Amino acid sequence: GENVEQHPSTLSVQEGDSAVIKCTYSDSASNYFPWYKQELGKRPQLIIDIRSNVGEKKDQRIAVTLNKTAKHFSLHITETQPEDSAVYFCGSSGTYKYIFGTGTRLKVLA
Amino acid sequence: DGGITQSPKYLFRKEGQNVTLSCEQNLNHDAMYWYRQDPGQGLRLIYYSQIVNDFQKGDIAEGYSVSREKKESFPLTVTSAQKNPTAFYLCASTIQGADTEAFFGQGTRLTVV
């Protein structure tokens, strides 16, 4: 069946450095790729998304890139801050099914 | 105040008992989803529904059941057939289809005692 693989499972970076999280999807019909941030004890919230007809999207310190041929997409966070510490999930969806990766726990060290 | 609400926040169940988790949304969203969250395993899809009176199994539907009698409600029943039900359960909704932002409830933590 369809699945999304996400790496790494944990990531520690120094404050101010960049963080990159990568995902690979299996369903060729997928056309929407969101990224969610989940802080401890809170619900996941969308931070950025990209559709299959776009290769890159940026929103301030956050960017997502998509390589549809290789079926992978990545989240890039620049100039990381302590408040970026959280669990990040990538998602993949086609017409109806909405599935997520296994999550990356990001720790930004002050 | 629009949103998606799950209740209760914490739930305890004795082994062998069925339990129902509530999920209500007033966003007028067509699609609703249930996920199970375990440490290190991300969000796994249990069931999803695109329209009233219709729903499909996700990747880990065994031991669970759902209904979608109203657009705003999508309750999940964890049956005694679910061998390892202790987990954090998240409900989500999207406007239509799966190619838009999903809004999540605050989750229900179920513990089997």
Side-chain angles (χ1 to χ4, degrees):
Chain A
E2 306 97 322
N3 73 311
V4 180
E5 293 187 1
Q6 182 172 347
H7 300 282
S9 57
T10 61
L11 179 60
S12 293
V13 299
Q14 291 291 331
E15 182 178 357
D17 287 351
S18 296
V20 180
I21 303 171
K22 298 182 179 181
C23 287
T24 303
Y25 62 98
S26 62
D27 186 3
S28 300
S30 295
N31 57 9
Y32 177 68
F33 307 94
W35 285 91
Y36 286 81
K37 176 183 180 182
Q38 185 179 28
E39 297 177 2
L40 192 62
K42 296 188 177 181
R43 69 190 78 189
Q45 293 197 306
L46 181 73
I47 56 171
I48 196 167
D49 56 14
I50 193 168
R51 298 189 182 276
S52 57
N53 57 348
V54 176
E56 184 173 359
K57 184 176 178 180
K58 193 172 182 181
D59 183 4
Q60 299 182 354
R61 297 186 297 109
I62 295 173
V64 57
T65 58
L66 171 65
N67 182 329
K68 203 174 179 195
T69 302
K71 293 184 187 172
H72 66 238
F73 56 112
S74 301
L75 177 71
H76 305 254
I77 306 174
T78 59
E79 300 171 25
T80 53
Q81 300 166 5
E83 52 265 37
D84 294 330
S85 295
V87 177
Y88 292 81
F89 293 98
C90 61
S92 169
S93 70
T95 306
Y96 297 118
K97 204 171 177 182
Y98 215 121
I99 60 175
F100 292 91
T102 50
T104 296
R105 182 172 298 279
L106 174 64
K107 296 180 185 177
V108 179
L109 308 171
Chain B
D1 190 23
I4 180 166
T5 303
Q6 290 183 243
S7 60
K9 191 173 181 179
Y10 299 97
L11 189 56
F12 295 88
R13 186 196 96 173
K14 289 185 178 180
E15 256 187 74
Q17 289 181 338
N18 292 356
V19 64
T20 298
L21 282 59
S22 170
C23 179
E24 304 274 334
Q25 53 96 1
N26 60 4
L27 300 166
N28 199 32
H29 284 178
D30 290 308
M32 298 185 75
Y33 308 82
W34 273 106
Y35 297 91
R36 171 178 171 143
Q37 187 173 23
D38 296 288
Q41 297 198 52
L43 301 172
R44 293 186 291 168
L45 183 63
I46 304 173
Y47 268 98
Y48 59 106
S49 168
Q50 295 298 316
I51 197 169
V52 174
N53 293 323
D54 188 40
F55 48 83
Q56 287 78 39
K57 293 182 180 179
D59 300 319
I60 56 165
E62 186 175 349
Y64 300 96
S65 66
V66 294
S67 62
R68 187 86 188 275
E69 297 177 0
K70 298 185 295 182
K71 186 176 184 178
E72 58 269 23
S73 179
F74 191 41
L76 174 74
T77 296
V78 184
T79 75
S80 57
Q82 170 50 236
K83 297 304 178 190
N84 186 21
T86 295
F88 188 58
Y89 291 88
L90 280 163
C91 179
S93 69
T94 58
I95 292 175
Q96 189 177 38
D99 56 350
T100 58
E101 178 181 359
F103 291 82
F104 285 86
Q106 72 272 39
T108 292
R109 184 164 298 280
L110 173 64
T111 303
V112 175
V113 297

